[in-house]
């Protein structure tokens, strides 16, 4: 093996170690939020099995919180699904961006689609080397999936055996989680104004519409406003 190959192997080894370390760190941080989801899901009336199924099959944090939030407040299953779908649209956009990088086919494509998240997409797109980017995507996606599901089960079981889980203040965890997901994305006064306007619209609609519908109205209003502003900017 030449000196150049040896240096390249050592460089790749260091890069791989750094990627895996970061992936595990992201998985631990996101997985911790799964404890709140598991507990809140049980509080909303879902069983432990249903809660775990949501994390295993849906596996989209914000969308999962939306489902249990809407249905726990008395909204219907269709309303909960519509809200979750609206929040999950961004994952489709991530997938389009990652398709040329990952180049997956067959069963691997289905698995890869399931692991398209904010975190896995960010870790992949942050790296210029395609090999590092692919490793970052898979390592982060698997890390978050495993730890999120373990934490979900632990949170659901914990809430299931507690005599009064509401005394822990878990009812504010879902709104806090949404705020935590939203704040890093509000860059600039225009986005802040849009977020505040959507929140005001949702609050106004709460006494007028069934549970879950105000969130959909606010979300659709924000989308229309964003497209209108984009077209005006293009002109």
């Amino acid at each position: 093996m030449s000196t150049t190959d040896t240096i390249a192997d050592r460089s790749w080894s260091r890069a791989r170690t750094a990627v895996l370390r970061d992936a595990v760190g992201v998985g631990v941080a996101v997985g911790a939020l799964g404890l709140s989801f598991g507990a809140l899901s049980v509080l909303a009336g879902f069983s432990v099995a249903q809660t775990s199924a949501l994390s295993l099959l849906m596996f989209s944090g914000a969308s999962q919180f939306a489902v249990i939030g809407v249905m726990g407040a008395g909204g219907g299953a269709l309303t909960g699904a519509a809200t979750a779908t609206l929040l999950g649209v961004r994952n489709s956009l991530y997938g389009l961006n990652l398709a040329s990088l990952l180049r997956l086919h067959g069963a691997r494509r289905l698995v890869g689609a399931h692991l398209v998240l904010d975190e896995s997409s960010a870790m992949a797109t942050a790296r210029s080397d395609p090999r590092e980017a692919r490793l970052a995507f898979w390592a982060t996606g698997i890390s978050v999936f495993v730890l999120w599901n373990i934490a979900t089960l632990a949170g659901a079981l914990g809430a299931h055996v507690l005599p009064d889980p509401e005394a822990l203040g878990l009812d504010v965890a879902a709104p806090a989680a949404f705020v935590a997901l939203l704040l890093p994305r509000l860059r600039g006064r225009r986005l802040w104004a849009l977020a505040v306007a959507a929140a005001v619209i949702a609050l106004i609609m709460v006494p007028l519409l069934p549970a879950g519908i105000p969130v959909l109205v606010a979300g659709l209003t924000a989308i229309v406003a964003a497209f209108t502003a984009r077209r005006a900017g293009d002109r």
Side-chain angles (χ1 to χ4, degrees):
M1 181 180 294
S2 66
T3 303
T4 302
D5 291 338
T6 301
I7 294 174
D9 288 343
R10 289 177 178 174
S11 177
W12 166 243
S13 179
R14 288 193 296 269
R16 181 176 56 190
T17 300
V19 168
L20 294 177
R21 182 183 63 242
D22 292 345
V24 172
V26 171
V28 170
V30 176
L33 190 58
L35 290 169
S36 296
F37 170 74
L40 286 168
S41 181
V42 171
L43 284 177
F46 290 81
S47 67
V48 173
Q50 289 171 331
T51 299
S52 291
L54 277 174
S55 281
L56 286 168
L57 302 177
M58 181 177 285
F59 188 47
S60 179
S63 296
Q64 291 178 226
F65 277 110
V67 169
I68 64 170
V70 170
M71 296 185 67
L78 290 178
T79 304
T83 306
T85 301
L86 185 62
L87 289 169
V89 167
R90 70 189 191 284
N91 288 10
S92 300
L93 301 179
Y94 295 156
L96 291 174
N97 189 42
L98 291 169
S100 59
L101 170 67
L102 299 176
R103 298 178 182 177
L104 301 176
H105 302 281
R108 283 172 58 87
R109 190 169 188 173
L110 293 176
V111 175
H114 200 50
L115 298 179
V116 173
L117 311 164
D118 294 337
E119 297 78 15
S120 60
S121 301
M123 286 280 284
T125 56
R127 286 160 173 80
S128 56
D129 182 84
R131 186 164 59 161
E132 289 183 30
R134 285 190 287 269
L135 176 62
F137 171 81
W138 287 108
T140 304
I142 292 172
S143 175
V144 173
F145 181 81
V146 171
L147 294 173
W148 174 267
N149 279 280
I150 291 174
T152 294
L153 180 59
L157 290 173
H160 191 69
V161 300
L162 287 175
D164 186 16
E166 292 186 1
L168 299 177
L170 292 175
D171 54 323
V172 301
F178 275 117
V179 171
L181 290 167
L182 178 64
L183 285 179
R185 293 165 174 78
L186 296 181
R187 302 185 181 96
R189 287 178 294 179
R190 181 177 295 176
L191 289 179
W192 272 101
L194 189 59
V196 171
V200 170
I201 290 172
L203 289 174
I204 293 174
M205 295 295 175
V206 165
L208 305 176
L209 298 173
I213 301 298
V215 177
L216 289 175
V217 172
L220 292 173
T221 301
I223 291 173
V224 171
F227 274 110
T228 302
R230 179 72 175 272
R231 292 183 62 184
D234 291 340
R235 286 198 295 271

